[in-house]
């Protein structure tokens, strides 16, 4: 966890250090386009591997795992080709329907991001399987360097907002060559052990992943992007840009410790196995206590100091983003505590429960924006409602998962 967290931490520090320059090069409207583009990309990424990627750590032998690797890579190619054809011919209609007309001319960047980010995630999961945590950490740092350099450099040359969008793609897809350089020899050795019989066996064996985990992940991602999509629809690109910067900032502690902790925790509980739920429970309690201690200070700073800090760091026009951050920080605390433990359901092969939990999230996330639309709530009232409902969700999901693995008395 410490190795992954150190790499992710340095990457986040680089990204944060670059933000004061980026926010002075691009306007809130540009950040609004970025927020919508990122939302579209993340939603597409859900379907790229049909969620078979979450099983890559589970096979006991690397030979069988590499067959799964090839299955996932094939799915990525097919889904990317399908999305390319659809957006090429019907992209304008689709973006107009979802009120995303600002990114219509950047559909090709969505495709590049879809393919690149999917392949990178596949390779990084393989690296985690091989316990090459240092490689994952270094790659995270270089991704951040490439992303920040592209945003600043292209912005200074007047390429706005495409500089921001290219930076996002590099952030999600950069580093593929570094992984290939390290693991290409392994892939060549395992290639001769790939068979259609094993691939079809894995396709059937993990069939619950596309049946339950895929719709679950889709609901999870859409629920997370509802604020951006609703703000783009209701309040315009300027306010959406303010929200986008706020969500980027509150995502820093999530990315810094939440994701890296989740990856390492998943690797460890996959090694423990589903037959030792008591050991998983004890480990989970230990991680929960540590996350609570670590999260108190950054959440307190964001809660009370965001409006002042945003003006100081990002510029005077980002004061509203600071107010938004103060509100969202409340549910950030609960999200941070619950983030790693959803992986327990993958190890226990309980994708049906994973689906139910994520279904509850999108229902709870939809309520505040539905109320806001019909009762014409202003920005801050809408966000306060959203924070309350999301805090309830993360508390509930953690309680549900811990109830499953808690040793019976």
């Amino acid at each position: 966890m410490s190795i992954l967290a150190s790499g992710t931490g340095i990457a986040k520090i680089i990204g944060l250090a670059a933000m004061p320059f980026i926010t002075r090069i691009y306007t809130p409207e540009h950040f609004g386009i970025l927020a919508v583009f990122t939302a579209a990309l993340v939603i597409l990424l859900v379907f790229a591997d049909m969620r078979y990627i979450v099983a890559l750590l589970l096979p006991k032998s690397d030979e069988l795992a590499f067959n799964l690797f090839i299955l996932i890579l094939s799915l990525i190619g097919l889904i990317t080709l399908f999305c390319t054809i659809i957006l090429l011919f019907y992209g304008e209609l689709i973006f107009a329907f979802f009120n995303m007309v600002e990114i219509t001319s950047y559909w090709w960047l969505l495709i590049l991001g879809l393919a690149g980010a999917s392949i990178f995630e596949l390779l990084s999961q393989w690296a985690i399987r091989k316990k090459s945590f240092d490689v994952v950490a270094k790659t995270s740092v270089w991704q951040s360097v490439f992303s920040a350099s592209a945003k600043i450099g292209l912005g200074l040359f007047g390429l706005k907002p495409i500089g921001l969008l290219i930076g996002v793609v590099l952030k999600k897809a950069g580093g593929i060559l570094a992984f290939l350089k390290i693991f290409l020899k392994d892939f060549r050795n395992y290639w001769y052990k790939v068979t259609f019989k094993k691939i079809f066996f894995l396709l059937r064996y993990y069939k619950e992943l596309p049946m339950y985990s895929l719709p679950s992940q889709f609901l999870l991602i859409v629920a997370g992007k509802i604020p951006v999509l609703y703000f783009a629809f209701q309040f315009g690109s300027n306010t959406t840009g303010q929200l986008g910067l706020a969500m980027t900032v509150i995502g820093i502690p999530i990315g810094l410790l939440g994701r890296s902790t989740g990856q390492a925790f998943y690797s460890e509980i996959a090694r423990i196995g589903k037959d030792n739920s008591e050991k998983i429970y004890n480990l989970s309690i230990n991680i929960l206590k540590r996350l609570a201690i670590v999260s108190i200070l950054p959440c307190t700073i964001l809660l009370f100091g965001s409006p002042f800090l945003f003006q100081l760091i990002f510029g005077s026009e980002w004061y509203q983003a600071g107010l938004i951050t103060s509100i969202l920080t409340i549910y950030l605390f609960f999200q941070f505590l619950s983030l790693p433990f959803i992986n327990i359901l993958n190890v226990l092969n309980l994708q049906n429960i994973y689906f139910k939990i994520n279904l509850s999230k999108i229902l709870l996330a939809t309520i505040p924006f539905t109320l806001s639309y019909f009762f014409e709530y202003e920005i801050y009232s809408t966000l306060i409602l959203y924070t309350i409902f999301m805090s309830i969700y993360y508390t509930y999901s953690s309680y549900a998962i811990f109830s499953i693995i808690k040793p019976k008395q």
Side-chain angles (χ1 to χ4, degrees), residues 156-224:
L156 291 174
F157 278 102
L159 298 175
K160 307 173 186 179
I162 194 171
L164 285 175
L165 309 187
I166 291 176
V168 168
V169 173
L170 289 175
K171 178 66 177 175
K172 292 185 175 295
I176 291 176
L177 293 179
F179 282 128
L180 289 177
K181 182 179 179 181
I182 295 171
F183 297 116
L184 194 57
K185 184 178 179 180
D186 284 349
F187 294 160
R188 287 172 178 169
N189 293 334
Y190 292 129
W191 177 254
Y192 299 100
K193 299 179 181 179
V194 175
T195 65
F196 284 110
K197 183 178 180 181
K198 292 175 183 175
I199 289 176
F200 283 119
F201 164 76
L202 292 165
L203 194 68
R204 295 191 302 272
Y205 186 78
Y206 293 114
K207 65 180 184 296
E208 288 197 357
L209 291 172
M211 290 173 60
Y212 294 107
S213 184
L214 176 62
S216 296
Q217 189 68 11
F218 175 75
L219 293 175
L220 182 67
I221 294 298
V222 170

Side-chain angles (χ1 to χ4, degrees), residues 362-402:
I362 197 167
L363 291 175
L364 287 172
T366 303
I367 292 173
F369 297 107
T370 303
L371 293 174
S372 173
Y373 178 77
F374 283 106
F375 292 100
E376 299 182 350
Y377 291 155
E378 45 83 35
I379 296 167
Y380 303 112
S381 298
T382 302
L383 290 173
I384 290 171
L385 271 178
Y386 177 71
T387 293
I388 292 171
F389 278 93
M390 285 299 94
S391 298
I392 293 171
Y393 162 75
Y394 286 114
T395 303
Y396 157 74
S397 63
S398 296
Y399 173 78
I401 293 170
F402 276 83

Side-chain angles (χ1 to χ4, degrees), residues 264-407:
F265 178 74
Y266 187 24
S267 176
E268 183 63 18
I269 61 177
R271 184 190 64 80
I272 293 172
K274 63 181 180 180
D275 296 326
N276 199 346
S277 59
E278 183 176 355
K279 190 172 183 180
I280 294 176
Y281 176 79
N282 292 332
L283 177 63
S284 301
I285 292 294
N286 188 22
I287 296 297
L288 179 63
K289 291 177 181 177
R290 297 187 181 206
L291 288 177
I293 294 171
V294 169
S295 62
I296 290 174
L297 180 60
C299 286
T300 302
I301 293 173
L302 289 175
L303 179 62
F304 295 104
S306 290
F308 168 74
L309 290 173
F310 269 65
Q311 288 188 96
L312 178 65
I313 297 172
F314 304 120
S316 58
E317 63 182 335
W318 296 101
Y319 175 77
Q320 187 181 33
L323 291 175
I324 293 173
T325 301
S326 293
I327 297 171
L328 297 181
T329 296
I330 298 171
Y331 94 78
L332 169 67
F333 175 78
F334 295 97
Q335 180 186 14
F336 187 74
L337 295 186
S338 68
L339 199 60
F341 305 114
I342 198 70
N343 289 314
I344 293 173
L345 299 178
N346 290 324
V347 171
L348 299 181
N349 201 25
L350 296 175
Q351 278 77 29
N352 57 331
I353 296 178
Y354 186 37
F355 174 76
K356 293 176 182 178
I357 288 176
N358 288 336
L359 181 60
S360 68
K361 180 177 183 178
I362 197 167
L363 291 175
L364 287 172
T366 303
I367 292 173
F369 297 107
T370 303
L371 293 174
S372 173
Y373 178 77
F374 283 106
F375 292 100
E376 299 182 350
Y377 291 155
E378 45 83 35
I379 296 167
Y380 303 112
S381 298
T382 302
L383 290 173
I384 290 171
L385 271 178
Y386 177 71
T387 293
I388 292 171
F389 278 93
M390 285 299 94
S391 298
I392 293 171
Y393 162 75
Y394 286 114
T395 303
Y396 157 74
S397 63
S398 296
Y399 173 78
I401 293 170
F402 276 83
S403 297
I404 293 171
I405 60 174
K406 185 178 182 179

